[in-house]
Amino acid sequence: MALIQAGLIDQLKDELEYNIHYDGQVHSYSELIPKEDPDYRNMKNPLAVSAVTQTLSKQVYEHAKEGRFVLTLGGDHSIAIGTVSGTAKAIRERLGREMAVIWVDAHADINTPESSESGNIHGMPVAFLTGLAAEKREDIFGWLKDDQKISVKKLVYIGLRDIDRGEKKILRDNGIKAFSMHDIDRHGIGKVMDMALGWIGSDTPIHLSFDVDALDPMWAPSTGTPVRGGLTLREGDYIAECVHETGSLVALDLVEVNPSLESEGASETIRAGCSIIRCALGDTLL
Ligand SMILES: [Mn+2]
């Protein structure tokens, strides 16, 4: 809501000349939240998160199958279970292709319910999307079918710096490509983007899932799990610019902007979020 109130939709329409399909509402999906939602397999609020992401998945799929670019504003990062699954299915049907995901984040969000210490599903979306975590119960992510999932080989992380022990093992065991802040320090963001896009290969549809906590809290303090030592504002924009330049970007999530946290930094965080979105959609400095 804050991103939209800051004028994001008008910027995309007027400055970048997009034809926007938007129902003018910010959905809280409160009608999908059950009264009782006990922990299940260590997951908190499993019924609610499953129901909301399933609905979101259908919404994203409906847009993506029309060949539209789908922008989703969050919300916590669990919503990517809905967005990535929706795009993956539409891209398979439309183009007969498996898409890649670039996950820009301080965290890997790849815990399984069992490896997670917190039980927060926003730390698990990548595990469900890659099939590393699965659940038979239809009402707890059992709705997620193979044609909605992505390959661990088509996943690239950028900006990691706070990885749980269990997650490190998952990343290693599955040979997942990840560029941490260490890699960005060593090579610079330019080289890291060359390597990331080289790994994906040209002409592969890309879904960019950008967690604003990838940025250093100096630029984006109003977020749920800030971690120091992150990307600069320009590095964040540069990632988005490079992904736009491929011409292969099919969807973008911008998540974890939460103005109610560190509210004196809220406007800074919102501005950073809007800037990343504009860059991913083709805004340039010159
Ligand atoms: Mn995240």
Side-chain angles (χ1 to χ4, degrees):
M1 191 180 291
L3 292 161
I4 290 170
Q5 281 171 353
L8 176 66
I9 308 278
D10 290 333
Q11 291 169 17
L12 300 181
K13 204 160 29 184
D14 302 337
E15 293 167 31
L16 296 172
E17 301 183 337
Y18 278 89
N19 180 15
I20 311 271
H21 302 258
Y22 167 52
D23 61 9
Q25 292 178 48
V26 175
H27 296 265
S28 64
Y29 301 98
S30 46
E31 70 284 1
L32 299 175
I33 311 301
K35 283 203 185 65
E36 301 273 307
D37 197 356
D39 290 5
Y40 179 78
R41 274 179 65 190
N42 180 40
M43 287 181 270
K44 288 180 184 153
N45 308 306
L47 293 172
V49 182
S50 177
V52 171
T53 52
Q54 184 175 16
T55 300
L56 184 57
S57 182
K58 285 183 200 137
Q59 289 178 298
V60 170
Y61 168 76
E62 290 299 328
H63 286 294
K65 86 170 169 45
E66 299 298 323
R68 295 173 189 154
F69 180 94
V70 189
L71 168 64
T72 308
L73 310 175
D76 89 36
H77 218 162
S78 63
I79 65 170
I81 296 175
T83 62
V84 171
S85 61
T87 339
K89 181 174 156 77
I91 293 299
R92 272 201 180 84
E93 288 179 10
R94 276 186 51 239
L95 306 175
R97 301 284 302 278
E98 197 173 352
M99 71 172 195
V101 171
I102 301 181
W103 196 275
V104 184
D105 207 312
H107 314 89
D109 297 347
I110 198 167
N111 270 299
T112 62
E114 286 68 33
S115 77
S116 167
E117 283 179 24
S118 70
N120 291 323
I121 299 176
H122 63 76
M124 308 176 193
V126 183
F128 280 102
L129 288 166
T130 53
L132 293 171
E135 169 57 44
K136 286 205 178 66
R137 267 181 72 172
E138 190 73 14
D139 58 351
I140 303 184
F141 306 118
W143 56 266
L144 204 53
K145 300 296 186 279
D146 283 349
D147 65 344
Q148 296 165 295
K149 294 181 186 175
I150 55 157
S151 160
V152 288
K153 300 286 168 234
K154 297 267 182 203
L155 169 66
V156 180
Y157 285 104
I158 301 171
L160 300 183
R161 57 192 182 277
D162 185 15
I163 317 297
D164 299 336
R165 197 182 292 269
E167 289 184 304
K168 282 186 187 168
K169 182 166 166 29
I170 292 170
L171 294 178
R172 268 199 308 268
D173 290 352
N174 293 282
I176 293 170
K177 199 70 178 167
F179 298 96
S180 69
M181 289 310 299
H182 176 93
D183 299 301
I184 294 167
D185 291 339
R186 169 167 292 178
H187 302 290
I189 193 68
K191 178 94 187 296
V192 164
M193 285 312 294
D194 289 348
M195 292 190 285
L197 294 171
W199 173 262
I200 288 169
S202 60
D203 208 32
T204 302
I206 299 171
H207 182 122
L208 175 61
S209 201
F210 202 120
D211 189 324
V212 83
D213 76 21
L215 300 183
D216 192 274
M218 187 181 291
W219 288 279
S222 298
T223 189
T225 48
V227 189
R228 297 187 305 165
L231 299 170
T232 65
L233 204 54
R234 260 311 300 163
E235 287 168 337
D237 282 352
Y238 182 80
I239 292 168
E241 289 164 354
C242 286
V243 177
H244 174 82
E245 281 174 3
T246 64
S248 299
L249 187 61
V250 293
L252 167 66
D253 314 322
L254 195 288
V255 302
E256 300 281 0
V257 171
N258 188 343
S260 68
L261 303 170
E262 289 290 331
S263 52
E264 65 275 26
S267 67
E268 194 78 3
T269 311
I270 293 161
R271 255 188 347 168
C274 288
S275 178
I276 289 161
I277 294 164
R278 281 199 313 273
C279 290
L281 286 167
D283 203 3
T284 53
L285 291 176
L286 291 177

